[in-house]
Amino acid sequence: MMDLSFMQATLLTLLGGLPLTLQLTASSVLLGGAGALALALMRTSGVAVLSLPARAYVFVFRGTPLLIQLFMIYYGLGQFRPALQELGLWSFFRDPYSCAVLAMAMNTAAYASEIIRGGVASVPPGALEAASACGMRPLMRLRRIVLPLAIRQALPAYGNELVLMAKATSLASTITLMEVTGLAGKMIAQTYRAVEIFACAGLIYLALTFVLTRVVLLLEWWLSPRRPRLQPARPRIRTTGEPA
């Protein structure tokens, strides 16, 4: 039987790593989202000089595990320490947090770029023709027509990617970061009670996933064109003979 008092104490201890988990998720998603948008625009530009490097980047980072990418950045680049010191980059690459954010951001940029590209491809041609007929320039058409429609179409799939990145923060424990999984591993090494500790860690990730999915659903509802709009109240005009 599981010791509920021990699980309660474990849960409170593991919650101490939740801020780092949230920070890793937010940083990697924001940086990766910017990179994904740039990659998607490069893929859809139709210019070979731009689209080919973007294709190669997506192929490499989607075809290799995130754990290997994390090890290559944190451990692998350490072999080039003299060169990194000359470039002034060693202070960045010796920090496990910076390496974790970089690896996760580069990984999610590859996946999210394909999601955004699919959203751009789903924009109706009629909307683009109407925008051109209204005299919109390409940049304005991209900003006011293509991207809003693409984001609305890509949001459900991007929500899944957001959840995956939140759970992928557990890999940061392999490079000494004490987020939720890192604290769980440390407690297991001290108590040898893996079932209770991993159950508590799983509950934390489950709650985090629930919150993220609710936020994505709220954004989908807010961006839905079929969302009921609030109409301003109109003053009622009394008819002749109606009491005030």
Side-chain angles (χ1 to χ4, degrees):
M1 296 295 293
M2 293 186 180
D3 188 348
L4 295 182
S5 61
F6 175 77
M7 291 184 65
Q8 182 180 2
T10 299
L11 191 61
L12 293 176
T13 302
L14 295 183
L15 285 175
L18 185 58
L20 181 56
T21 296
L22 295 176
Q23 190 175 357
L24 284 169
T25 304
S27 301
S28 59
V29 167
L30 289 176
L31 293 176
L37 181 59
L39 288 170
L41 294 177
M42 292 170 65
R43 288 287 304 272
T44 58
S45 64
V47 181
V49 178
L50 297 177
S51 62
L52 290 179
R55 287 175 180 270
Y57 178 94
V58 171
F59 175 77
V60 170
F61 279 89
R62 289 179 68 193
T64 54
L66 174 58
L67 183 61
I68 291 180
Q69 297 165 14
L70 184 61
F71 283 170
M72 289 289 290
I73 292 175
Y74 184 66
Y75 295 113
L77 292 180
Q79 300 180 11
F80 307 98
R81 178 176 177 176
L84 294 175
Q85 286 177 333
E86 292 181 2
L87 296 174
L89 298 176
W90 176 242
S91 60
F92 177 88
F93 286 103
R94 74 178 180 182
D95 179 22
Y97 176 82
S98 301
C99 292
V101 170
L102 179 61
M104 293 173 60
M106 295 177 70
N107 182 271
T108 191
Y111 285 93
S113 67
E114 291 297 287
I115 296 173
I116 297 175
R117 186 177 67 88
V120 171
S122 67
V123 175
L128 301 177
E129 294 174 0
S132 299
C134 292
M136 289 189 182
R137 296 184 177 181
L139 186 59
M140 181 181 293
R141 187 166 65 243
L142 175 68
R143 180 172 57 89
R144 301 187 63 177
I145 303 296
V146 176
L147 287 181
L149 292 176
I151 291 173
R152 184 183 300 165
Q153 296 294 327
L155 187 58
Y158 192 76
N160 292 333
E161 177 63 18
L162 180 62
V163 170
L164 290 174
M165 291 310 299
K167 293 185 292 185
T169 56
S170 60
L171 297 177
S173 62
T174 60
I175 57 172
T176 72
L177 287 179
M178 289 293 104
E179 39 73 60
V180 174
T181 305
L183 290 177
K186 182 179 179 181
M187 293 187 66
I188 290 172
Q190 295 172 347
T191 62
Y192 300 99
R193 303 178 71 168
V195 176
E196 293 99 325
I197 295 174
F198 276 140
C200 292
L203 287 176
I204 293 175
Y205 284 110
L206 185 63
L208 178 59
T209 299
F210 176 79
V211 172
L212 291 177
T213 53
R214 297 306 102 180
V215 170
V216 172
L217 288 176
L218 182 61
L219 287 176
E220 288 184 38
W221 174 83
W222 186 67
L223 294 174
S224 174
R226 292 179 293 275
R227 175 170 63 96
R229 309 290 178 175
L230 296 178
Q231 299 294 335
R234 297 180 179 179
R236 183 172 178 268
I237 301 176
R238 297 196 304 271
T239 58
T240 305
E242 183 180 354

